[in-house]
């Protein structure tokens, strides 16, 4: 089937890049020319028809055909073998539980994070060790392709639809991979009941907040609990339905696992201990009316008692755990706070292993 997109001719790649800036096809970073040959290679690898419609991309509800998505992937610098990961991540974002429209238009500083796990991490050459939030071609270009999709098809432009006054660098690229070699627990996508060997999980979160966890397993858990219930977080102020992601360094995860802690144990501990005294929260909560209270908190929270301890989420299952990063140090973890009850909920999708190298 022939490609439907309009074609242009350029003297060289730089001419295309300049036109991309002029036409607002990119958000400030240079992009690669999407030549018909490279777009076709994406389509061939995916084995999908170019006119197949995947969905409408908020906030402007641009129609996402396979061809248009392939173009964004080429512009981002993806290999054809990365395309199925991008498609899986986008499918997860278009799930109504994620509320992509809300995530992309809110004033809160959260963006869609894609976490890749399973054998596909090594198959595609993801960086899952040192500087996992920073470097690696699959990490950078897959995250970049998603952002270009949201930019060019979704119309997520600053001063128009994207309303976050600050946001964070995840608006350029935001994709990490789990450290499959050093993870003492099942991979993240398995927590969602997926039976596939590999998968992606997409969740709307703030940029990672780093923390030091120098002590033993018990002290590490208390450090996590104290850090994730900061007063300024959307989670603690809108706990009913909010979620978050704890990205645990491999050596920290192994230390905690060796002490007998499972993921379920950790979630329960954090739910019980990552709490703030209601009297303290009232001082920081905007226009708190004791007669009305905070409708976002669980109904069992006694909002007439200042000694009540308010949880950071409504249920232990709202706390997600991934293992990623290098093994040179034994004490680093990052907390990625969620948006709160309004959306950005974690959604998982399977990803097939590539059929061929590309």
């Amino acid at each position: 089937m022939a490609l439907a997109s309009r074609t242009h001719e350029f003297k060289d790649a730089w001419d295309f890049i300049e036109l991309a800036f002029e036409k607002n096809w990119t958000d400030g970073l240079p992009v690669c020319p999407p030549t018909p040959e490279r777009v076709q290679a994406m389509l061939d690898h995916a084995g999908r028809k170019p006119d197949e419609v995947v969905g409408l991309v908020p906030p402007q509800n641009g129609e996402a055909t396979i061809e248009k998505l392939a173009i964004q992937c080429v512009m981002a610098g993806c290999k054809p073998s990365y395309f199925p990961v991008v498609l899986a991540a986008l499918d997860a974002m278009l799930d109504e539980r994620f509320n992509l429209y809300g995530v992309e238009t809110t004033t809160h500083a959260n963006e869609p994070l894609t976490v890749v796990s399973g054998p596909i991490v090594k198959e595609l050459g993801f960086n899952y060790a040192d500087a996992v939030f920073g470097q690696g071609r699959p990490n950078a270009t897959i995250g970049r392709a998603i952002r270009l999709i949201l930019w060019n098809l979704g119309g997520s432009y600053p001063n128009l639809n994207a309303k976050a006054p600050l946001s964070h660098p995840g608006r350029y690229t935001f994709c990490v991979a789990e450290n499959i070699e050093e993870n003492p627990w099942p991979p993240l996508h398995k927590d969602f009941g997926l039976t596939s060997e590999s998968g992606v999980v997409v969740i709307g979160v703030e940029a990672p907040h780093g923390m030091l966890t120098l002590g033993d397993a018990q002290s590490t858990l208390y450090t996590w609990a104290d850090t994730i219930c900061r007063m300024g977080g959307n989670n603690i102020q809108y706990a009913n339905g909010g979620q978050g992601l704890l990205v645990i360094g491999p050596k920290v995860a192994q230390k905690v696992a060796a002490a007998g802690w499972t993921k379920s144990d950790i979630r329960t501990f954090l739910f019980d201990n990552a709490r703030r005294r209601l009297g303290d929260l009232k001082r920081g909560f905007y226009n708190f009316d004791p007669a009305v209270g905070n409708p976002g908190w669980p109904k069992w929270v006694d909002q007439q008692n200042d000694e009540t301890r308010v949880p950071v989420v409504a249920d232990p299952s709202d706390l997600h755990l991934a293992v990623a990063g290098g093994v040179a140090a034994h004490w680093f973890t990052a907390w990625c706070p969620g948006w709160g009850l309004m959306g950005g909920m974690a959604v998982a999708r399977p990803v097939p292993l590539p059929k061929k190298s590309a």
Side-chain angles (χ1 to χ4, degrees):
M1 184 178 293
L3 300 180
S5 301
R6 188 172 48 159
T7 60
H8 303 263
E9 291 197 12
F10 300 95
K11 181 176 63 176
D12 56 28
W14 285 105
D15 279 356
F16 166 75
I17 292 171
E18 287 300 330
L19 183 67
F21 285 127
E22 180 185 325
K23 296 291 188 181
N24 202 35
W25 295 339
T26 181
D27 51 12
L29 288 177
V31 287
C32 302
T35 63
E37 296 78 14
R38 291 191 178 276
V39 173
Q40 189 63 56
M42 287 280 174
L43 299 173
D44 291 344
H45 186 86
R48 308 273 289 270
K49 294 182 178 180
D51 62 351
E52 178 188 343
V53 177
V54 173
L56 302 179
V57 182
Q60 289 190 338
N61 290 329
E63 186 178 70
T65 64
I66 292 292
E67 179 179 332
K68 290 178 182 178
L69 297 175
I71 290 171
Q72 309 311 310
C73 287
V74 174
M75 290 173 66
C78 289
K79 291 183 178 183
S81 55
Y82 303 172
F83 196 22
V85 181
V86 174
L87 292 176
L90 178 62
D91 187 56
M93 279 184 247
L94 294 179
D95 189 299
E96 64 179 12
R97 292 170 294 174
F98 189 78
N99 185 13
L100 182 58
Y101 179 91
V103 170
E104 287 301 292
T105 59
T106 180
T107 56
H108 187 63
N110 78 127
E111 296 297 336
L113 169 65
T114 299
V115 184
V116 186
S117 56
I120 201 167
V121 168
K122 292 194 70 175
E123 181 76 24
L124 295 184
F126 277 88
N127 173 24
Y128 53 84
D130 293 331
V132 69
F133 274 98
Q135 278 78 47
R137 180 175 178 180
N139 309 48
T141 59
I142 287 172
R144 182 76 182 131
I146 291 167
R147 289 312 318 178
L148 288 174
I149 290 167
L150 297 178
W151 180 271
N152 285 319
L153 304 184
S156 183
Y157 309 139
N159 305 315
L160 180 62
N161 296 308
K163 298 297 185 181
L166 298 178
S167 191
H168 66 76
R171 281 193 66 84
Y172 284 113
T173 182
F174 207 24
C175 175
V176 298
E178 280 207 284
N179 191 324
I180 61 172
E181 294 181 334
E182 304 286 344
N183 190 346
W185 301 303
L188 178 62
H189 71 279
K190 295 288 188 181
D191 296 343
F192 294 80
L194 295 185
T195 59
S196 59
E197 288 189 65
S198 299
V200 297
V201 174
V202 175
I203 182 170
V205 292
E206 297 176 19
H209 299 227
M211 63 181 101
L212 285 173
T213 46
L214 295 170
D216 60 12
Q218 192 75 19
S219 65
T220 293
L221 288 161
Y222 277 113
T223 299
W224 290 344
D226 181 77
T227 301
I228 70 177
C229 65
R230 64 190 177 94
M231 187 180 293
N234 267 28
N235 287 109
I236 198 71
Q237 297 207 24
Y238 302 100
N240 187 15
Q243 297 183 345
L245 174 71
L246 200 64
V247 182
I248 308 168
K251 291 301 182 184
V252 179
Q254 290 167 10
K255 172 180 64 178
V256 174
W261 292 84
T262 66
K263 282 187 176 180
S264 179
D265 296 333
I266 294 169
R267 293 189 193 98
T268 299
F269 179 92
L270 293 177
F271 179 73
D272 291 339
N273 291 277
R275 302 189 179 194
R276 294 296 296 263
R277 180 178 171 273
L278 177 60
D280 295 333
L281 289 174
K282 284 181 178 180
R283 290 198 293 268
F285 191 80
Y286 172 71
N287 198 27
F288 185 86
D289 183 351
V292 177
N294 184 345
W297 290 335
K299 296 186 183 302
W300 51 262
V301 172
D302 183 358
Q303 300 195 32
Q304 305 303 315
N305 181 1
D306 282 354
E307 298 306 314
T308 298
R309 295 174 65 241
V310 180
V312 70
V313 292
D315 188 86
S317 63
D318 292 319
L319 294 165
H320 304 291
L321 287 74
V323 176
V327 297
H330 294 63
W331 45 77
F332 293 113
T333 304
W335 167 241
C336 298
W339 182 21
L341 60 86
M342 293 76 66
M345 307 307 177
V347 179
R349 290 290 186 270
V351 179
L353 285 170
K355 299 177 183 177
K356 58 181 179 180
S357 60

